[in-house]
Amino acid sequence: MLSTVTARPNFCVSTKTRGSFRQSASTLLGIKQRNSHGSCRQNVVVQSSLTVYGHPGTRSPLINWYLYEIDIPFKVLAPSNPGNPHPFGQVPALQDEGGVEMFESGAILFYLSDKYGGLDTPEKRADCGKWIMWANATLDPILFKENENGKIIGTGIGGTPKGIVRLEALLEGKEYLVDNEFSVADVAVASYLLYVPQFFREIDMGRWPNISAYMLRCTERDAYIKAFGAETAAYCKAMCQKYLDGSMKQTKGFSLF
C-alpha cells in the first residue's frame, strides 16, 4: 500500500520565535531557512524523494511528526513492501536520494535534522543530538519492558526512575528541552512519553506535573495530530489533562495498540 504525504502548507514557527530570524539570500533562492534547532522559518516548496516505511500502530509516526514540523514532503510505504531497507524487516525505515537507506528512529532523526532541518554542523547537532540519544538509549528502556521476542510486557514508569525524576526537574519553568524552543529533541523525547497513555492506561503521570504539561503541549501541535492521527492525539491530550487535574482513574490493560 502506497500513500503520498505532503507537508502541511501553513506550518511556521511561533510568533515568539519568528521575529528572531533575519532575511538572507537563501530565502530568495527558495531554500527553506531554519533556526538553530531545526524549526522551519517560512513556507517554501521543497522537493524531496523521501520514503518512510511505517504503520500507524508502530513507532514510525514519530518520523512523520518531525517531517511535518519542518515541512518536508514524503511518501509512506507499508512495512511489508519489498523495498523496505530495514535489515530485520521492521519499521521505521527510510530511503532518500543518493541511495541513502536508514533504520532506527534515532538514526533517522539525526539524518533528517542534518540534511533537512538545518542542524548541519557538529555544533548545531550537539544540543539536540544528546536528547535523541537519551530518548533511545535511556528513556525507551524505562518506558518499555520487553521480553526476548521484543514484545512489550510492562513499563518502569510506575516506579521512580532516576531519569524521569531528573527530566521532571529539568522541565521546571520550561516549555521545551532546548533553549525553550520546539526542536527535533522534543520529537524524540515527547513521542516516547506519549506512548505511555497509549500503552499503559493504568499509569498516572500526574506525579510528574512538568512532564505531563510538556506532553500536553506536544499533543496540541498540528504536526503531532497529523502524524499520529486526530483520534490518538485527542486521547493522549485528554489523558494528559487527567494527569494534571488529578482526575486520572485507575484502569487495567492496554489501550490503542
Side-chain angles (χ1 to χ4, degrees), residues 180-232:
N180 215 24
E181 294 180 356
F182 186 86
S183 72
V184 66
D186 300 296
V187 171
V189 173
S191 59
Y192 277 34
L193 290 170
L194 285 165
Y195 283 124
V196 172
Q198 296 176 55
F199 277 89
F200 306 108
R201 282 186 175 178
E202 75 278 11
I203 296 298
D204 185 356
M205 295 287 288
R207 60 202 176 107
W208 316 113
N210 294 329
I211 293 175
S212 296
Y214 171 68
M215 293 165 63
L216 177 60
R217 279 191 292 277
C218 290
T219 66
E220 296 173 336
R221 296 189 69 85
D222 289 345
Y224 179 85
I225 296 169
K226 188 169 184 178
F228 285 86
E231 182 178 357
T232 296

Side-chain angles (χ1 to χ4, degrees), residues 11-257:
F11 177 78
C12 61
V13 296
S14 66
T15 303
K16 171 181 161 184
T17 305
R18 190 183 304 123
S20 66
F21 293 105
R22 296 190 297 268
Q23 293 289 336
S24 71
S26 61
T27 304
L28 300 176
L29 294 172
I31 301 173
K32 184 183 294 292
Q33 190 178 43
R34 310 180 199 284
N35 70 13
S36 60
H37 304 308
S39 297
C40 87
R41 175 187 185 277
Q42 61 178 25
N43 301 312
V44 180
V45 176
V46 177
Q47 297 299 319
S48 172
S49 58
L50 284 172
T51 299
V52 175
Y53 293 81
H55 187 272
T58 70
R59 300 179 192 181
S60 60
L62 72 91
I63 303 300
N64 302 9
W65 181 10
Y66 182 56
L67 287 170
Y68 286 136
E69 291 282 6
I70 60 174
D71 282 339
I72 298 298
F74 62 100
K75 63 182 179 181
V76 176
L77 293 177
S80 59
N81 187 283
N84 185 354
H86 199 300
F88 302 102
Q90 300 172 329
V91 292
L94 178 138
Q95 290 174 325
D96 198 7
E97 60 187 1
V100 172
E101 295 184 338
M102 304 285 299
F103 64 99
E104 290 296 329
S105 60
I108 293 172
L109 288 179
F110 269 116
Y111 172 77
L112 293 174
S113 60
D114 186 330
K115 182 170 181 179
Y116 297 104
L119 304 185
D120 52 1
T121 69
E123 292 76 17
K124 291 179 181 179
R125 286 190 291 270
D127 285 341
C128 292
K130 60 194 177 190
W131 283 108
I132 296 173
M133 291 297 296
W134 185 81
N136 284 265
T138 302
L139 183 58
D140 181 285
I142 291 174
L143 300 180
F144 306 108
K145 303 299 182 183
E146 300 180 351
N147 63 19
E148 63 275 11
N149 296 317
K151 181 180 179 181
I152 297 174
I153 57 175
T155 179
I157 196 67
T160 54
K162 181 172 65 174
I164 298 299
V165 173
R166 182 58 180 154
L167 180 62
E168 173 71 10
L170 289 170
L171 284 171
E172 179 69 33
K174 295 180 64 175
E175 293 191 356
Y176 298 111
L177 292 169
V178 179
D179 292 343
N180 215 24
E181 294 180 356
F182 186 86
S183 72
V184 66
D186 300 296
V187 171
V189 173
S191 59
Y192 277 34
L193 290 170
L194 285 165
Y195 283 124
V196 172
Q198 296 176 55
F199 277 89
F200 306 108
R201 282 186 175 178
E202 75 278 11
I203 296 298
D204 185 356
M205 295 287 288
R207 60 202 176 107
W208 316 113
N210 294 329
I211 293 175
S212 296
Y214 171 68
M215 293 165 63
L216 177 60
R217 279 191 292 277
C218 290
T219 66
E220 296 173 336
R221 296 189 69 85
D222 289 345
Y224 179 85
I225 296 169
K226 188 169 184 178
F228 285 86
E231 182 178 357
T232 296
Y235 171 79
C236 290
K237 179 178 179 178
M239 291 293 284
C240 291
Q241 289 171 330
K242 287 184 177 182
Y243 299 154
L244 290 167
D245 65 21
S247 65
M248 175 68 185
K249 295 181 179 180
Q250 297 295 313
T251 58
K252 294 182 179 180
F254 294 100
S255 55
L256 295 184
F257 299 126

